[in-house]
Amino acid sequence: MEIQPISGAIGAEITGVDLAALEVDEFAALHKALLDYGVISIHGQALTADQQIAFARRWGDIHAHPYLSGLDGNPEIIEIVKEAGEPNRFGAHWHTDQVFTPAPAMATMLLAREVPPVGGDTLFTDLYAAYDALSDGMKRMACRLRTVNTYDKGTTRSKRMGAKVLEPEKEAVPAVHPLVRVHPETGKRALYINDTRIMRRFEDMTEAESKPLLDFFLTHETRPEFTCRVRWQVGTLGLWDNRRLMHLALDDYQGHRRVMHRITIKGTPTIGVDPSEFPT
Ligand SMILES: O=C(O)CCC(=O)C(=O)O
Ligand SMILES: [Fe+2]
């Protein structure tokens, strides 16, 4: 197995591995690569749905999406489709997955089934680097803030993806998380933020009060030097650590279709930093 970093910040491409016949030591190496690089991609993995589900289960239990339905016959897999004639609205803004649930997904896996001739890459940014680059004063404040996150059932969806939304008329229930999240496996701190479609405000503050600060954090943590870009071929399997990264699906392939098979792995409730570490 070979691991080739794809940027100075995060991301690695892995070669020399067959995910349908993975040895225990190879899985351990992939796990380490996920923790080290945040996002890994492996080309040439023409897995069946059952093989994709079996690979996903090696990472943990599968997280059933509370608001989207899966494939008939394989409900663990959500098919993300952008038709040639429509814009891509699924994930086309900076976010981490399922931050609107109390225990957001640990990881998300996409298996590319159909890709445009060019474009349709996914961008990632490193929330550890974003936290580390804050001043001590801002870290002190950030460690005391909690965010209120609500799923957007409407405005970010195409017609086709909108049809998968469960109980569209029912208001989504918000989830509250620490702004500075301690990674449960590495102990590192991540500036755990989404754009304001999901992360609407800080706890005990109004949306108007929260917005300037949320805008600052979002601009700060999408600095180009914190990012990488994953390119897809048919059969590329990409896997990212939602506890550490945000991502954005680029909408730059008008006139072409793109189909991804997506599985999310269950996560754990978020943990914040003890504020007494930063006396006021
Ligand atoms: O389609 C993509 O590249 C990513 C979409 C997304 O945000 C997701 O699958 O969580
Ligand atoms: Fe996403």
Side-chain angles (χ1 to χ4, degrees):
M1 185 187 300
E2 270 197 43
I3 301 176
Q4 186 64 44
I6 59 169
S7 85
I10 45 170
E13 262 182 31
I14 298 187
T15 49
V17 68
D18 175 4
L19 299 182
L22 200 60
E23 305 289 344
V24 171
D25 60 331
E26 289 177 315
F27 178 75
L30 287 184
H31 189 184
K32 182 173 183 317
L34 185 74
L35 294 181
D36 289 347
Y37 295 99
V39 53
I40 54 178
S41 66
I42 309 145
H43 300 304
Q45 306 297 317
L47 305 180
T48 63
D50 286 344
Q51 286 171 332
Q52 188 188 355
I53 292 166
F55 176 60
R57 289 220 163 100
R58 296 187 77 151
W59 298 89
D61 290 339
I62 291 173
H63 184 129
H65 199 290
Y67 302 118
L68 288 179
S69 56
L71 286 179
D72 289 346
N74 291 113
E76 300 88 345
I77 298 177
I78 293 178
E79 187 170 64
I80 302 176
V81 185
K82 188 206 82 86
E83 297 294 356
E86 66 180 18
N88 176 30
R89 297 209 182 91
F90 188 85
H93 58 106
W94 283 110
H95 66 285
T96 71
D97 289 334
Q98 300 171 356
V99 68
F100 45 80
T101 63
M106 165 236 165
T108 302
M109 171 187 304
L110 292 184
L111 179 54
R113 296 292 187 191
E114 221 178 301
V115 297
V118 67
D121 299 350
T122 309
L123 304 185
F124 293 87
T125 192
D126 184 10
L127 308 185
Y128 291 165
Y131 175 79
D132 290 342
L134 293 174
S135 64
D136 286 348
M138 192 54 113
K139 283 179 181 159
R140 182 185 305 126
M141 184 177 77
C143 285
R144 291 176 158 79
L145 292 172
R146 283 154 56 90
T147 60
V148 179
N149 305 276
T150 311
Y151 188 64
D152 178 353
K153 284 193 175 184
T155 56
T156 60
R157 313 224 157 270
S158 64
K159 215 162 134 195
R160 168 133 189 181
M161 294 308 293
K164 298 174 196 267
V165 173
L166 302 169
E167 302 184 295
E169 67 298 333
K170 210 163 145 188
E171 184 82 13
V173 181
V176 177
H177 297 294
L179 175 62
V180 179
R181 177 176 185 182
V182 180
H183 192 290
E185 289 188 78
T186 65
K188 292 188 181 162
R189 294 168 185 192
L191 190 60
Y192 192 57
I193 198 166
N194 269 252
D195 86 4
T196 49
R197 280 177 234 196
I198 296 172
M199 189 164 277
R200 308 274 173 87
R201 60 182 180 85
F202 294 108
E203 193 177 43
D204 303 326
M205 290 191 202
T206 65
E207 287 190 16
E209 288 167 341
S210 308
K211 190 165 184 312
L213 208 45
L214 285 170
D215 286 346
F216 163 75
F217 285 127
L218 194 67
T219 306
H220 167 77
E221 75 183 350
T222 52
R223 274 162 45 178
E225 63 270 32
F226 301 155
T227 68
C228 78
R229 180 168 180 147
V230 168
R231 306 191 75 173
W232 306 93
Q233 304 163 4
V234 171
T236 303
L237 186 136
L239 180 72
W240 64 85
D241 185 343
N242 269 302
R243 304 162 297 185
R244 169 177 180 191
L245 302 182
M246 280 204 302
H247 57 281
L248 176 151
L250 275 177
D251 184 16
D252 61 350
Y253 53 104
Q254 279 73 31
H256 299 284
R257 196 168 190 259
R258 179 176 182 269
V259 180
M260 296 288 193
H261 280 183
R262 176 185 199 259
I263 299 181
T264 44
I265 315 296
K266 255 191 194 156
T268 44
T270 48
I271 307 166
V273 173
D274 179 358
S276 64
E277 188 187 313
F278 289 104
T280 44

